[in-house]
Amino acid sequence: MSSVAVPFYQRRHKHFDQSYRNIQTRYVLEEYAARKAASRQAAYYESTGLGKTTCRLCARRARTLAHEAIQESRKRTHEQKSDASEEKRIRFASELSALEKEIHTARHHAREHLDRLAIQRMVEENMALERHALEESISRAPEILVRLRSHTVWEKMSVSLCFTVQGFPTPVVQWYKNEELITPASDPVKYRIESKYGVHVLHINRADFDDSATYSAVATNVHGQASTNCAVIVRRFRDNEQPHPAGIMPFHLPLSYDVCFTHIDVQFLEKFGVTFGTEGETLTLKCSMLITPDLKRLRPRAEWYRDDVLIKDSKWTKLYFGEGQAALSFTHLNKDDEGLYTLRMVTKGGVSEYSAYLFVRDADALIAGAPGAPMDVKCHDANRDYVIVTWKPPNTTSESPVIGYFVDKCEVGLENWVQCNDTPVKICKYPVTGLYEGRSYIFRVRAVNSAGISRPSRVSEPVAALDPVDLERTQTISVDEGRKIVISKDDLEGDIQIPGPPTNVHASEISKTYVVLSWDPPVPRGREPLTYFIEKSMVGSGSWQRVNAQVAVKSPRYAVFDLAEGKSYVFRVLSANKHGISDPSEITEPIQPQDTVVVPSAPGRVVATRNTKTSVVVQWDKPKHEEDLYGYYIDYSVVGSNHWEPSNHKPIKYNRFVVHGLETGEQYVFRVKAVNAVGFSENSQESEAITVQAALTCPSYPHGITLLNCDGHSMTLGWKAPKYSGGSPILGYYMDKREANHQNWHEVNSSLITQTIYTVGSAILKGKKFFLIFRWNSLCCSLCPLTLVLFSPLSLLFPRPSSLSLPS
């Protein structure tokens, strides 16, 4: 018998289930139990006296019965266990069958779902292709069917301006008043805009004299834009005029008169200072102010300027003015945003302004050592399939020089950028050809040096590939009942089969790598669309080669590349339509490819002077050759470090600049270089070393002098601190007085007045009429007088504002 370890909790409790033991152990236990039962039975017989008469045969029979009882008990136990296992098997088989059915059903549903998704995807793709084909077939630039009409109205009357435009996709219409965007949210009572079924209406409620302006509407979609404008004149009533005839309006309405206030005072409280940003960041310039008096109908107008150019709401800048705060937000900073920013508060009494400079550094290059991005990308001379793109080069103080630029184009509404030039162009100007007529494009530029390619510049404004001459060849005549007739000059010229040759063929731009040819279309040109073919010939060769054999030119301009350096060429142009090709035009004068603009010479002597504790004023002499300059770049370096840092990241046009962000007490040297479309000049000579410290100058005079209180015995005067402290805090003020008919001045206070308020007692006034003059003393001990006229004690019973005048 094998020994089995019994758990501790069953060693004493023998009545617990012991089915965990093996079969041999259970058999021994059952034999033991049977013998014990037989012994108890025998003891019972002996105790009752029956055992003495039982024979051995009876005892053996009793044992046999006991053994059979044990076997029967075992058999019943085995049958019970067999029945339980059979029930488990049946239950498991039924559960497995149900699970298989669920899996089969789930697979069937999943397959059906995938089939539906595949069919739906295929249908959507087919519908998208059909939609794209349909949109391509019906897509067109906006076309104005009914233009705006000018109106002349009386004050307090309402006027509605409406026009009709068609195009696909549906054009987006924006309204402008004197080239300023009209937003109904800014004045919902005044303006209301409606658009329905291509008819766009601008409602002006209760027009006043300030609503007299030129109103324009611009409709734009991805294929181009169209605009129309009109004039609105608002007339005022004279005293003896009535706003409406008596028969139309027999009753009189109360007229509301505007409050005419002679002066609105704007005092700037919290101002934005010199700010430093990085490309790609968001930034807000804020300025809080106190407006006195604050009248809803006479609010000042907030205008933001960058380098004296008015800023409008756009994709990159957002304007806000309200609740005593003016803000200018930049959604995505770029070096194009660098410059001197000025906030001007325009009122009927004058203009209050504040200025500070915004510096925008280059973003981290994608490749170490790559140059910064170009800036100020603009489009010029756009035509049907041609446009000239210009830009300004980045400042490469710590990077290797720029060796060229890549120009990219993208159709408006798409994100597919296409590189226009295969090899880098070395000057900041490039003629882009191959545009599709009637479509709008945007452009960007990337700079290249020995380390890699820069980040792309900010995209240009959209430009449409249209011929501006086409608008001049059509004339619209208005007839009765609002109908209009459009007459084209092509219809007046008759039925022309083969066009004549172009005229006035000349080189409008000459470069070392290309020549831009321009010409006038033939007259008469006929009704059919014209294309042009350009031919070139090297002087002395006697043979002609067609330049655009593969692609016909639709614009009267074309850039010819692949010209041999140092060779002279002559050109001629042929016009063509579906009927045939014209005779060649007259041959141009010999043209040799060469750069007409050269690199500027280095600026002259550089002088640095103190300004504030963190800035220095740098001045320099202009270069001897400053043809077509974009501006100047200024660099600075700590004395002895030989490490140069750029001060400005956008060229400035003046020969004076304030360099900010310097360390107080550190010594710096400065240098300047000029830049144009060809490239950079040599660096100027370094300036003399200068230590950054605040310069001390004479402070400006106090202002806003006011008589605060008069009681017949004393006067209380108040004033505002000088706007400019001269580089040192104002220590205090001295006040002098003199009688009206005398010229001798006497001090009012012997010690400094440290506050901007002072009470002159009766012992000093003595009931006489005085002129008072202020003078103040700062660290530089300057005297800047300002006269204040006061009144006699008799007039103090009726106080009124004092009059101010500067002494000569």
Side-chain angles (χ1 to χ4, degrees), residues 279 334-339 360-362 371-380 389-396 402 405 428-429 443-447 454-460 630 632-633 648-652 675 680:
E279 282 188 310
N334 196 275
K335 288 187 294 186
D336 298 61
D337 299 320
E338 182 171 295
V360 182
R361 305 184 183 91
D362 284 299
M375 68 207 79
D376 199 16
V377 180
K378 294 182 179 179
C379 300
H380 309 274
V389 181
T390 61
W391 60 91
K392 293 180 181 178
N395 190 3
T396 55
V402 173
Y405 304 90
C428 298
K429 182 184 294 185
F443 299 87
R444 70 183 187 185
V445 183
R446 295 170 293 156
S454 72
R455 292 177 179 268
S457 66
R458 174 180 285 179
V459 299
S460 66
Y630 286 161
Y632 304 91
Y633 281 120
N648 59 318
H649 306 82
K650 179 181 177 181
I652 61 168
V675 59
F680 295 92

Side-chain angles (χ1 to χ4, degrees), residues 378-382 385-391 407 409 419-422 425-435 443 508-511 513-518 557-561:
K378 294 182 179 179
C379 300
H380 309 274
D381 197 19
D385 55 0
Y386 162 89
V387 68
I388 288 182
V389 181
T390 61
W391 60 91
V407 181
K409 68 178 179 181
Q419 187 172 300
C420 301
N421 52 320
D422 297 329
V425 58
K426 296 183 181 299
I427 63 174
C428 298
K429 182 184 294 185
Y430 186 75
V432 179
T433 57
L435 306 180
F443 299 87
S508 59
E509 186 174 344
I510 301 175
S511 174
T513 56
Y514 64 88
V515 172
V516 176
L517 296 177
S518 300
R557 293 167 185 78
Y558 189 74
V560 182
F561 292 87

Side-chain angles (χ1 to χ4, degrees), residues 600-642:
S601 57
R605 187 171 63 98
V606 181
V607 178
T609 56
R610 293 179 181 176
N611 186 43
T612 67
K613 61 181 180 180
T614 58
S615 64
V616 168
V617 178
V618 180
Q619 294 177 313
W620 59 91
D621 296 332
K622 295 182 179 180
K624 296 180 180 179
H625 304 286
E626 51 175 345
E627 296 85 1
D628 301 319
L629 274 186
Y630 286 161
Y632 304 91
Y633 281 120
I634 300 94
D635 303 331
Y636 64 90
S637 174
V638 178
V639 173
S641 66
N642 199 25

Side-chain angles (χ1 to χ4, degrees), residues 167-186:
F168 190 85
T170 303
V172 177
V173 176
Q174 291 181 317
W175 293 86
Y176 294 87
K177 174 184 176 182
N178 288 338
E179 300 182 357
E180 293 185 2
L181 182 64
I182 297 176
T183 55
S186 61

